[in-house]
Amino acid sequence: WATHSRLDPVKKVAKMLKERWYGVMNYFRHRITNAMAEGVNSRIETRWTKARGYRNKARYRLAILFHLGGLDMEPATH
């Protein structure tokens, strides 16, 4: 009924839900989102922005592994 509404915003939302219905139902079925992947992508993009680019892909990869690798940089104590 929403797609036959005279209100354009209502029709727009109805069309969007219809196109994404499979993904919406998957969330309710499995309770899994891609938030973790999006967060990691955001942090990687931040590395690129802060450095204003890298000379080559190897240096960019090393920066990602260094900053997002979860390394413990504190010296080991006995």
Side-chain angles (χ1 to χ4, degrees), residues 66-77:
F66 180 78
H67 291 284
L68 279 72
L71 299 175
D72 185 16
M73 299 304 289
E74 296 295 320
T77 58

Side-chain angles (χ1 to χ4, degrees), residues 2-3 5 7-20:
T3 57
S5 171
L7 301 171
D8 285 335
V10 173
K11 289 196 294 190
K12 185 177 177 182
V13 169
K15 183 179 176 185
M16 179 193 67
L17 284 173
K18 184 177 180 181
E19 291 170 354
R20 293 172 171 83

